[in-house]
Amino acid sequence: MFKKILHFLSVNNRRLILLALFSLLIYSSFFFLSYVVNPGQATQNFTSKVGFPFNILVFIIESVATYYILIFEVILPAMHKERRFSKVVLIAVPLFLAKFILNYGWFLVERTYLERTTPASSTNELSESSISWLLIITYLLDLVISFSAALLVEWVHKGRERIILEKQKTEAELNALKHQINPHFLFNSLSFIYGKVIKLDKDTADSVLMLANIMRYALSKNDSVDGMVNIMDELEHMKNVIEINQRRHNNDLNISYEEQIDDQSISILPLVLITLVENAFKHGDLHDPAHPLFIKVTTGVNELSFDIRNKKGKGIKELSNGVGLQNITQQLSLTYGNRCTFLAEEKGIHFNVSLKIIYSL
């Protein structure tokens, strides 16, 4: 029995402390209001024969027990439908009966003590019917306070659950988006290598090595806590994708590439830039010298900009695996929020994509 009590206190110590502090606040408020109205009567009522500290201790113990039972054993289980109404009543009714017996008995003891020690002319005694109604009103107030506290506890609990669920949802969506986006350029490149092997081209070995590096980058486990990669790694493998696609078309593609990397410490979600470049290769017309594929990457202090423009080819303007640019937009939004702007639009014969990320606001 003693071990169970210790276990209960250790598990619920935070709740009990908060309830004790709240009970002390209520007791202090009652004493202050009574003292303002009638100092002498307040001192007499709150000290009695056992003294002020003992009265405070008894009040706190009774209040903590009452509020704990009402909040965590009656109201919250009823709200969660963990207990039937009949069982809730079987807990609440005996609780208030026991409180009434103890409070009314204490009142009778106190009244007897005051009758013996205080002149009749100096006492303002409550009648037995008055104290009964006062106790009933007090119990109704206990119910209101307990119900309000239970609603607050439920609101805090739901808030914590919502934060956890949103975090889990975000992580799940990011993982799902990554797995949707990652494979598209691998399949295209494997088809290219297959064609090269068939033709026994001398560049096959270099192409296989290049593709292996891209696959390793795409499929390797990211050790970063936030799932980001350094911009230099992303650009290195993006250039490999450009080179592989050039080899697929016998270096006949028209590509203008610019970069200005003033901050090499910038990080980014892996494969985002690579996916946008691969999308341009798949759906753009890059054989027109007058309208080359234009790629520009710049980084500054806490800022990254990426622009890509290609002449529109035939077919739907979406990512290679069919999930569409909306998927990239969602992935960026989940990660960067309002620190990121992503714009994909058609202007005449061109398809433009612009990405800008601010790393600190």
Side-chain angles (χ1 to χ4, degrees):
M1 183 66 180
F2 184 73
K3 289 184 178 180
K4 290 183 178 180
I5 294 175
L6 289 178
H7 177 71
F8 172 82
L9 293 176
S10 64
V11 172
N12 298 282
N13 59 348
R14 187 176 178 183
R15 293 177 177 176
L16 296 175
I17 291 173
L18 290 175
L19 290 175
L21 293 174
F22 180 72
S23 301
L24 181 60
L25 177 63
I26 293 177
Y27 191 89
S28 302
S29 301
F30 284 161
F31 176 77
F32 176 78
L33 293 175
S34 301
Y35 191 87
V36 170
V37 174
N38 190 333
Q41 187 65 37
T43 303
Q44 177 179 293
N45 291 337
F46 282 84
T47 56
S48 69
K49 67 176 183 178
V50 294
F52 191 74
F54 183 81
N55 284 336
I56 293 178
L57 181 61
V58 171
F59 180 86
I60 290 177
I61 293 174
E62 178 187 347
S63 298
V64 169
T66 301
Y67 292 138
Y68 184 90
I69 293 173
L70 288 177
I71 296 171
F72 299 105
E73 300 297 329
V74 175
I75 299 175
L76 285 176
M79 291 172 59
H80 298 156
K81 298 182 179 180
E82 297 174 354
R83 285 191 178 138
R84 292 180 296 180
F85 179 77
S86 58
K87 192 170 183 179
V88 168
V89 172
L90 287 176
I91 296 175
V93 171
L95 171 66
F96 284 112
L97 285 177
K99 280 175 63 67
F100 184 86
I101 293 172
L102 291 174
N103 295 147
Y104 193 81
W106 185 258
F107 163 76
L108 294 178
V109 172
E110 287 287 303
R111 187 177 67 173
T112 302
Y113 170 76
L114 290 175
E115 287 175 348
R116 292 178 180 177
T117 60
T118 307
S121 59
S122 63
T123 60
N124 296 315
E125 297 179 357
L126 291 173
S127 63
E128 294 182 5
S129 61
S130 297
I131 194 64
S132 298
W133 282 108
L134 180 61
L135 290 176
I136 292 173
I137 293 173
T138 302
Y139 299 157
L140 291 176
L141 180 62
D142 286 339
L143 281 173
V144 172
I145 293 174
S146 299
F147 186 77
S148 301
L151 290 178
L152 178 62
V153 170
E154 183 69 5
W155 179 76
V156 172
H157 179 70
K158 291 292 185 182
R160 289 176 178 174
E161 282 188 342
R162 183 170 60 253
I163 292 173
I164 293 174
L165 289 175
E166 287 176 354
K167 183 178 180 181
Q168 292 176 343
K169 180 182 177 182
T170 299
E171 292 176 350
E173 288 176 347
L174 283 174
N175 289 331
L177 291 173
K178 286 181 180 180
H179 283 90
Q180 285 178 328
I181 295 173
N182 288 355
H184 77 277
F185 68 92
L186 297 179
F187 296 128
N188 293 338
S189 300
L190 286 173
S191 297
F192 154 64
I193 292 176
Y194 172 79
K196 285 290 186 180
V197 170
I198 293 297
K199 297 175 184 179
L200 298 177
D201 190 278
K202 62 179 182 179
D203 294 331
T204 299
D206 291 338
S207 299
V208 169
L209 180 60
M210 195 176 300
L211 179 60
N213 289 332
I214 295 175
M215 293 179 66
R216 188 180 300 110
Y217 175 72
L219 300 178
S220 62
K221 183 179 179 181
N222 192 350
D223 295 330
S224 175
V225 176
D226 56 6
M228 304 293 178
V229 296
N230 183 266
I231 185 62
M232 302 308 294
D233 292 332
E234 180 78 1
L235 293 181
E236 176 187 351
H237 295 286
M238 183 185 73
K239 293 172 184 176
N240 286 340
V241 171
I242 294 173
E243 178 62 24
I244 283 183
N245 279 278
Q246 276 284 28
R247 294 189 180 197
R248 288 177 59 196
H249 296 273
N250 296 316
N251 294 308
D252 193 35
L253 300 180
N254 297 281
I255 301 173
S256 173
Y257 179 82
E258 299 179 11
E259 70 174 39
Q260 182 176 345
I261 311 301
D262 295 330
D263 186 353
Q264 297 186 3
S265 65
I266 290 292
S267 60
I268 190 173
L269 279 173
L271 302 175
V272 170
L273 303 186
I274 292 175
T275 301
L276 294 174
V277 170
E278 177 65 15
N279 186 57
F281 281 117
K282 182 173 178 64
H283 299 293
D285 179 6
L286 310 185
H287 296 279
D288 186 350
H291 301 280
L293 169 63
F294 174 76
I295 302 171
K296 182 178 181 179
V297 185
T298 59
T299 67
V301 178
N302 294 322
E303 181 177 318
L304 174 130
S305 296
F306 178 80
D307 296 283
I308 182 168
R309 181 182 69 246
N310 63 271
K311 181 181 178 181
K312 291 186 293 185
K314 296 181 180 180
I316 302 173
K317 303 299 179 293
E318 63 180 6
L319 296 187
S320 303
N321 59 359
V323 297
L325 291 172
Q326 183 179 0
N327 208 339
I328 282 283
T329 304
Q330 185 179 4
Q331 187 177 9
L332 291 169
S333 177
L334 288 171
T335 304
Y336 300 107
N338 60 1
R339 296 183 291 110
C340 171
T341 56
F342 180 73
L343 179 63
E345 59 181 352
E346 297 184 33
K347 284 187 177 181
I349 63 172
H350 291 108
F351 187 71
N352 303 330
V353 176
S354 177
L355 169 65
K356 186 173 183 178
I357 301 173
I358 305 297
Y359 289 88
S360 63
L361 294 176

